[in-house]
Amino acid sequence: MENTKLRRRVLATATATVAVGALALAGLTGVASAGPAGTTAPAVSADSLSPGLLAALERDLGLDADAARTRIAGEYRAAAIAAGLEKSLGTSFAGARVSGDKADLTVSTTDASEAALITKAGARAEVVGHSLDRLEAAKDALDKAALSKAPKNVPVWYVDVAANRVVVNGASTSAAEAFVKAAGVGDQLVTVARSTERPRALADIRGGDAYYMGGGGRCSVGFSVTRGGTQNGFVTAGHCGRVGTTTNGVNQQAQGSFQGSTFPGRDYAWVATNANWVPKPLVNGYGRGDVTVTGSTPSVVGASVCRSGSTTGWHCGTIQQLNTSVTYPEGTISGVTRTSVCAEPGDSGGAYISGSQAQGVTSGGSGNCSSGGTTYFQPLLPALQAYGLTLVTSGGGNPTTPPTTPPPTDQPGGTWAAGTTYAVGATVTYGGASYRCLQGHTAQAGWTPAAVPALWQRI
């Protein structure tokens, strides 16, 4: 199981509903990186947002161009502040979320004496009863219970940072209560609720855009990646294919094959492509202009997010909860992010993006894009780390293969620090070695240069 904080923060928010053919993710070009706590929100220039992203944000969230730029800039800044406060507050940290078109940030803590620190950093302080670590430990117990026996009629459970509770949704409250009791989780941490959700993986067995599996069916490309500096490919959903499954691209020409696939448990995979497919740092804009991917910094709860997929194109919404568990007919998936974005069969594997920051790939959901629905995405960073992949970005270049014997992670020191926002090409020292940043991101505890080769290259 991934590091708790890695699962917590890999939400890749603000997305775009696209992913097709030999596709890569795209977002905002020319947008400054979010600064540390207390800095001014990064500027978003008038021409930096893709027309397709603007149109989707206006349609789905009611934001005009100016409001969209203001909100995304605020969300970038909020993500950086929240990351810094998570490090500073330690075990009393109880989660972060944004609200409103200006992305006002609220950070929760169990220690009232830390309210002044939160306020000084530029966020609203909220004192609550349970730390995020405690709530996530309760959710982990539910996850372990589901691994041994998937719960019947309990489709979704997650940590709700706004409510400061673990929420368990069931077809009936009795089903949810029975699951909680079987997992041995205390009632004081849990809220049970009835839900009509019937989530399912969003693969489709009919032709269309994006890519096609050799055994039949269609899914959507997530983001362009490289492995070892020479092998090109893309990330997608694990339920779309197993290791060895061949793929054809949007033009129905031979494309590649699945090299790694995890499902259920998680929902990520990667496909290695042949020399005819060139990775681009783009997300398909479906006629409205492609979006350029510049990094993979995760967003917080409440942030806007857009999705791009081969069935329904671009759709936007907001991040509702991080580190969610959802039960599909095939089994339980943990560590996904719950959103208000709609999706339909065939959108699986497609890109979720926040501004220009890659967030994850479409996993599954319920509802549709006519009546609305709930969709879950698999955060990107665990997939990159699991398979040793590097996200292709607009300034990424072609990194070399990470070292096979990184320096020990128990020798901190150096200039690297959690809570710091790093741009592509930035250099740090850690454990007596030097590293170059491969992907723009805000560093989290546990994401040390030696431990995460998807983000850092030893030099």
Side-chain angles (χ1 to χ4, degrees):
M1 183 172 292
E2 294 94 3
N3 176 281
T4 296
K5 296 201 180 213
L6 180 60
R7 293 200 322 269
R8 177 188 305 164
R9 297 291 306 148
V10 297
L11 72 77
T13 53
T15 41
T17 307
V18 165
V20 66
L23 171 82
L25 251 244
L28 310 173
T29 58
V31 180
S33 298
T39 62
T40 303
V44 178
S45 64
D47 60 352
S48 65
L49 287 168
S50 134
L53 183 66
L54 284 173
L57 287 168
E58 181 175 6
R59 178 194 63 205
D60 296 335
L61 295 181
L63 301 174
D64 63 23
D66 288 339
R69 284 187 284 270
T70 297
R71 177 161 180 161
I72 290 174
E75 289 170 354
Y76 281 6
R77 176 175 177 270
I81 294 174
L85 285 171
E86 181 176 356
K87 177 190 176 188
S88 300
L89 300 180
T91 57
S92 64
F93 179 76
R97 63 188 188 275
V98 295
S99 59
D101 289 347
K102 293 184 179 179
D104 296 319
L105 176 64
T106 298
V107 174
S108 301
T109 178
T110 57
D111 185 349
S113 69
E114 292 174 332
L117 174 65
I118 294 171
T119 302
K120 184 178 180 180
R124 184 178 77 87
E126 180 178 68
V127 181
V128 296
H130 310 300
S131 70
L132 190 56
D133 285 343
R134 187 180 182 195
L135 294 174
E136 289 196 323
K139 182 185 170 293
D140 285 346
L142 295 171
D143 290 348
K144 290 177 182 176
L147 285 175
S148 59
K149 183 179 181 181
K152 186 176 182 180
N153 297 323
V154 183
V156 179
W157 56 98
Y158 50 80
V159 173
D160 188 334
V161 294
N164 195 231
R165 307 275 286 180
V166 177
V167 177
V168 179
N169 289 337
S172 66
T173 55
S174 61
E177 289 168 350
F179 175 47
V180 172
K181 182 178 180 180
V185 176
D187 293 342
Q188 73 276 13
L189 299 175
V190 177
T191 296
V192 299
R194 288 196 62 202
S195 174
T196 59
E197 276 195 69
R198 295 295 181 269
R200 80 283 190 200
L202 296 174
D204 199 357
I205 53 172
R206 55 188 172 89
D209 210 345
Y211 74 91
Y212 304 85
M213 288 74 79
R218 168 175 58 88
C219 277
S220 299
V221 173
F223 297 87
S224 291
V225 296
T226 61
R227 186 178 186 185
T230 57
Q231 178 59 62
N232 298 329
F234 60 85
V235 291
T236 188
H239 71 262
C240 290
R242 292 290 178 254
V243 173
T245 299
T246 58
T247 66
N248 287 340
V250 63
N251 58 3
Q252 292 290 5
Q253 299 301 305
Q255 180 188 60
S257 64
F258 280 73
Q259 302 298 301
S261 178
T262 301
F263 180 80
R266 296 292 184 265
D267 195 6
Y268 49 63
W270 85 284
V271 173
T273 56
N274 62 42
N276 295 328
W277 296 85
V278 178
K280 299 290 184 181
L282 301 173
V283 171
N284 190 328
Y286 286 95
R288 297 186 178 92
D290 292 342
V291 180
T292 301
V293 182
T294 64
S296 55
T297 297
S299 295
V300 298
V301 170
S304 61
V305 65
C306 296
R307 176 190 60 76
S308 174
S310 60
T311 298
T312 59
W314 285 93
H315 285 275
C316 299
T318 59
I319 292 175
Q320 296 175 318
Q321 285 87 27
L322 310 181
N323 191 17
T324 298
S325 293
V326 57
T327 298
Y328 301 144
E330 299 88 348
T332 297
I333 311 299
S334 298
V336 293
T337 297
R338 189 170 187 252
T339 76
S340 64
V341 187
C342 70
E344 296 181 10
D347 286 327
S348 278
Y352 265 81
I353 192 165
S354 178
S356 64
Q357 301 298 303
Q359 300 296 312
V361 298
T362 303
S363 174
S366 57
N368 55 53
C369 288
S370 296
S371 60
T374 299
T375 304
Y376 304 88
F377 72 79
Q378 164 67 57
L380 177 64
L381 294 181
L384 299 180
Q385 188 171 20
Y387 301 124
L389 306 173
T390 298
L391 177 68
V392 175
T393 64
S394 60
N398 294 309
T400 60
T401 303
T404 56
T405 55
T409 58
D410 60 350
Q411 299 177 15
T415 59
W416 178 88
T420 303
T421 299
Y422 293 105
V424 173
T427 58
V428 299
T429 57
Y430 183 85
S434 297
Y435 294 84
R436 179 182 295 108
C437 180
L438 299 177
Q439 300 176 49
H441 67 286
T442 299
Q444 306 298 311
W447 296 8
T448 60
V452 190
L455 298 180
W456 295 97
Q457 175 190 0
R458 189 176 182 180
I459 55 177

